Amino acid sequence: MKSRIHPVSRPVVFRDRAAGTAFLTRSTADSERRVTWEDGRSYPVIDVETSSASHPFYTGTRQVLDTAGRIERFHRRHGTEVPAAGE
């Protein structure tokens, strides 16, 4: 491997403001702000708007679309025949 072409990876705390949670992980991102973590050490902290703790896809709070109703409305509106189940 070539030397000095890869960014430095370091422990960083990502804090999700929406969920009020924080994650300690490795990243190449850096920040001037620091926070003391549970282990007593000080780490750079990066505030994020959304993470797996607050994103609707991961929390299961996303809305379910009624695609069957939309398809039936389309067929009624355009006068096409609705295919029978299993066709």
Side-chain angles (χ1 to χ4, degrees):
M1 285 186 9
K2 293 183 179 180
S3 62
R4 296 179 290 176
I5 64 167
H6 299 285
V8 177
S9 175
R10 63 184 70 77
V12 177
V13 174
F14 285 93
R15 187 170 43 195
D16 184 347
R17 291 300 204 175
T21 59
F23 304 94
L24 177 63
T25 187
R26 296 191 64 81
S27 176
T28 57
D30 199 8
S31 174
E32 297 293 323
R33 293 180 287 141
R34 300 186 75 76
V35 66
T36 303
W37 190 246
E38 299 161 356
D39 62 1
R41 295 183 182 177
S42 178
Y43 297 104
V45 63
I46 297 176
D47 291 325
V48 294
E49 295 294 323
T50 306
S51 72
S52 60
S54 63
H55 194 279
F57 178 80
Y58 295 103
T59 60
T61 58
R62 66 181 177 156
Q63 295 178 350
V64 178
L65 296 176
D66 178 25
T67 55
R70 290 182 179 188
I71 293 170
E72 290 171 4
R73 276 195 311 251
F74 174 83
H75 287 295
R76 277 190 305 232
R77 190 173 0 167
H78 295 288
T80 57
E81 186 177 322
V82 179
E87 286 186 18

